[in-house]
Amino acid sequence: MDQHPTTPGRGLTRPPHLRPGDHVVVVAPSGPIDPQRLTAGSAILRSWGLRVTVAPHVLDTHPTLGHLAGTDADRAADLQDAWLDPTVDAVICARGGYGVHRMVDLLDWEAMRAVRPKVLVGFSDVSSLHEAFAQRLGLATLYGPMSATASFIGDGPTAEHLRRTLFDPAATTVLTTPGAGRLVPGRARGVTAGGCTHVLAAERGTPAARPSYAGSILILEDVNEHPYQLDRLLTQFLRSGAFDGVAGIALGSWEGCGRLDRVRDVMLDRLGPLGIPVIWELGFGHCPSTLTVPLGVPALLDADAGTLTLELPALAERPPLDDSPTDRR
């Protein structure tokens, strides 16, 4: 793992990258899962040489609230048990939706902090978990596609970028897409943070929320939020001080958010006065083809070039003794 996880500018502790034969557990911390998509996504993970376990409650549905994959306690138990299992190397979320806010405070963070670092993958509603892992565990995570979602199953480049990030992270340090470009010009360095805009806004004021994203390269994207709703969310960030000291911002996809020119106008109006570089359409989030973006890693944002360059690979080198079965703890 990273030997200097808390040194300013170096980012958070990076878990080790994966290798064929590693054990991953699929969990459902949010909404209910389509069984066929779960099967298809697990097959892709197995094709990479991974041992895949599906957590016990992944296919549950809450007894009265059909928008949740099982009870809060069961969803939390699946995630915690996977994290505490010494044989597990990564936890991959099956899908987003809604539900993490309801279960995140049920996790035993002290126990989870005591075990070796491992990889967490997810996006959308999983933004709440990324924030909690950063704040409570000091751990870098991956804002990337989930195993029972359409983009992971149906788009080869989406799955391949996640695979390379997991197995060969040194090969995925430059993030860009053909449509990426500047909204506000300039370059900035900081530690990546962020996720889904409306989920992060809902974190504001909660006990474990960070006071601000000072020193961060903030990534933001969303789905099905109209321009006026995005305006409201960004205004909440501004009024609450969340954007105080942010170094730069990389904007991803805005699927279902209406006309992109109107979304762009809102972003320029709300973010332009910050006087920091902003990238438009970096290509992550709820789009049909998406990049995996590491969170908690130092990076250089170049808005003019439309690139986000990681200054350390997303995941750390494996320790030499990691080949030994007795070292799996």
Side-chain angles (χ1 to χ4, degrees), residues 1-15 133-135 137-141 189-193 210 214-217 294-300 310-316:
M1 79 182 69
D2 193 350
Q3 296 300 305
H4 304 282
T6 59
T7 302
R10 287 191 60 87
L12 305 179
T13 298
R14 297 172 300 144
F133 276 58
Q135 294 298 102
L137 302 183
L139 191 65
T141 54
R189 280 186 164 86
V191 175
T192 54
R210 65 179 87 201
S216 295
I217 299 296
L295 301 177
V297 178
L300 169 66
L310 307 177
E311 297 186 326
L312 290 172
L315 303 175

Side-chain angles (χ1 to χ4, degrees), residues 23-33 38 53-62 68-88 90-95 100 103-104 106-108 112 118-120 129 133:
H23 184 198
V24 303
V25 175
V26 176
V27 299
S30 304
I33 307 304
L38 177 66
T53 299
V54 174
H57 299 285
V58 164
L59 290 175
D60 287 2
T61 301
H62 193 283
L68 298 172
T71 66
D72 297 343
D74 285 343
R75 298 195 321 279
D78 276 0
L79 174 61
Q80 181 170 304
D81 290 348
W83 200 259
L84 298 182
D85 185 337
T87 73
V88 172
V91 174
I92 298 178
C93 298
R95 65 156 290 195
V100 172
M103 53 75 80
V104 67
L106 300 180
L107 297 168
D108 185 341
M112 292 172 66
K118 54 195 72 176
V119 181
L120 174 73
L129 281 179
F133 276 58

